[in-house]
Amino acid sequence: MFEGFSTERITVDEAEFHVRIGGSGPPALLLHGFPQTHVAFHQLAPLLADRFTLVIPDTPGYGASRGPVPSPETFSKRTLARLCAGLMTALGHDSFHLSGHDRGARIGYRLALDMPEKVRSFAALDIVPTLENWRRMDWRSALGSYHWLLLAQNDPFLRQMVGADGPGYVRHLIDRWAGHRDRLDEAAVQAYCDAYRDPLVVDAMFADYQAGATVDFALDEASLEAGRRLTCPTRLVWGTRYLKEKDERHLDVWRRWADDVDAVALDCGHFLAEEEPEACAAAMADLFTRTES
C-alpha cells in the first residue's frame, strides 16, 4: 500500500501526525473517517497521485497519530481543523484541496468554514453536517446510528466495555456499514481493528463523539444562525446503500451550508474509497481540477 509515498511524523502544537505524502501537482489533504485510519485511502491514492500532491494523515488521536488530551473541547472539529491546517502549513501548503470521509469530512467542513482562504475545494464523502444529523434523528435512525449515542456518553464503564474488544467493535461496525463488504481489503480492515487495541485511540473516539453532541453541535448552530457558508466549490459524494435519503435530498441539505455545491451518488455502502475507488477518485479529481482551471 502507498507505494512511492513517504511516511513522516510531524508535530503541530498539541498533536503529532503520522502522515503519508506522495504524488505531484496541487496539494490535496485527505482525511479519513471512523472507525478507520489513513489506510482507508490506499486504493484511491494511486488514482490521484499523478495529478495531485496527496497528504494523507491519521487524524489526531486516531491510528498512529497522537492528539490533545481527550475531551469534547480538545476534540471539537474546530480544534482538529486547526491542527490539520497546521499540518499543511508545516508542509508549505498555504491553500489546498480538501476531502474528508465521515468524521474527517466533519473536520473538513469546519476547516472550510473557519479558514476559507485555505480551502480551494471540498469533497465531503458520505455525510450531512453534524447539526443536520442530530436535528433529523428519530428513533428509527437512532437504532441505525446507535453509535452516535453510545460513544457520546461520558461514562467510564461504557469506555471500558467498548475498549475490552476494540478490534471486535470496529469489525462489527465495518460489517454493518459496508455495502460491498467483499471489496474491502482484509489487510486494511485488520489495520483498522488493530488501531483500537490502543486505549488512547478508544479515549479519542469517545472524545470525538462527545464533541459531536456538544461543542460541534453548538458551533454548527452558531455558524448557521450567523449565515456563515462554505464559499469554495463543494461536492457531496455519497453511497446510496448507507446514507439513505428520506424526507429531503442530501443536496438540498448541503445547499443550506454551501454556495456552490453538487452531488454524486455511488452504488455502495459507507466506505466509498474502498467500495468504489475509481468512481470516488473521478468525482474528487473532477472537482479539484475544475477549481484549478
Side-chain angles (χ1 to χ4, degrees):
M1 298 180 185
F2 298 99
E3 183 177 355
F5 281 64
S6 66
T7 303
E8 301 187 28
R9 293 197 72 82
I10 298 174
T11 299
V12 178
D13 297 333
E14 62 270 41
E16 185 179 2
F17 285 91
H18 172 81
V19 57
R20 303 271 197 169
I21 303 170
S24 62
L29 174 63
L30 309 186
L31 301 175
H32 69 85
F34 174 78
Q36 297 173 288
T37 69
H38 77 278
V39 175
F41 295 111
H42 73 98
Q43 295 186 60
L44 187 144
L47 302 175
L48 295 174
D50 63 333
R51 289 165 286 177
F52 304 98
T53 297
L54 302 177
V55 179
I56 312 177
D58 288 338
T59 58
Y62 286 99
S65 289
R66 289 293 172 258
V69 176
S71 74
E73 291 74 24
T74 60
F75 273 75
S76 75
K77 304 309 165 291
R78 172 164 286 168
T79 298
L80 299 183
R82 172 179 58 79
L83 294 171
C84 290
L87 170 64
M88 295 302 279
T89 299
L91 293 170
H93 306 308
D94 293 329
S95 68
F96 45 88
H97 300 288
L98 174 60
S99 181
H101 173 242
D102 189 88
R103 312 304 286 182
R106 302 185 191 286
I107 298 172
Y109 78 76
R110 177 47 56 188
L111 199 163
L113 284 170
D114 286 359
M115 293 168 270
E117 72 283 358
K118 291 188 175 294
V119 182
R120 302 182 192 181
S121 65
F122 172 51
L125 306 185
D126 220 38
I127 70 156
V128 295
T130 300
L131 177 66
E132 303 282 355
N133 203 70
W134 282 117
R135 281 183 170 176
R136 68 184 192 171
M137 186 179 288
D138 58 19
W139 68 268
R140 291 180 181 85
S141 57
L143 287 174
S145 300
Y146 79 89
H147 66 290
W148 274 61
L149 305 171
L150 172 68
L151 301 179
Q153 305 301 317
N154 185 15
D155 188 320
F157 174 76
L158 294 179
R159 189 178 292 108
Q160 182 181 9
M161 181 182 74
V162 172
D165 186 11
Y169 185 60
V170 168
R171 192 171 291 275
H172 152 74
L173 293 177
I174 289 171
D175 291 345
R176 183 180 173 95
W177 297 343
H180 300 287
R181 178 63 175 80
D182 58 310
R183 298 181 186 176
L184 274 65
D185 186 298
E186 270 308 310
V189 173
Q190 191 61 52
Y192 309 146
C193 293
D194 288 345
Y196 289 82
R197 299 183 191 279
D198 186 341
L200 293 177
V201 175
V202 175
D203 288 347
M205 167 183 68
F206 273 87
D208 187 358
Y209 277 87
Q210 289 165 21
T214 55
V215 182
D216 296 338
F217 183 99
L219 288 171
D220 279 8
E221 196 169 48
S223 293
L224 199 64
E225 290 177 356
R228 295 178 60 197
R229 297 170 61 81
L230 300 177
T231 56
C232 64
T234 300
R235 172 166 289 171
L236 168 67
V237 187
W238 61 287
T240 59
R241 301 189 183 204
Y242 178 81
L243 194 69
K244 299 183 184 299
E245 292 184 321
K246 291 183 277 190
D247 298 333
E248 188 175 22
R249 294 191 310 159
H250 300 320
L251 179 58
D252 292 331
V253 173
W254 274 101
R255 282 175 173 157
R256 289 197 285 274
W257 294 81
D259 291 338
D260 177 10
V261 60
D262 61 13
V264 175
L266 304 181
D267 179 22
C268 65
H270 188 46
F271 305 107
L272 314 178
E274 294 166 283
E275 296 183 50
E276 287 286 356
E278 291 83 5
C280 186
M284 291 166 57
D286 174 69
L287 173 68
F288 296 169
T289 303
R290 174 164 54 90
T291 308
E292 290 293 322
S293 62

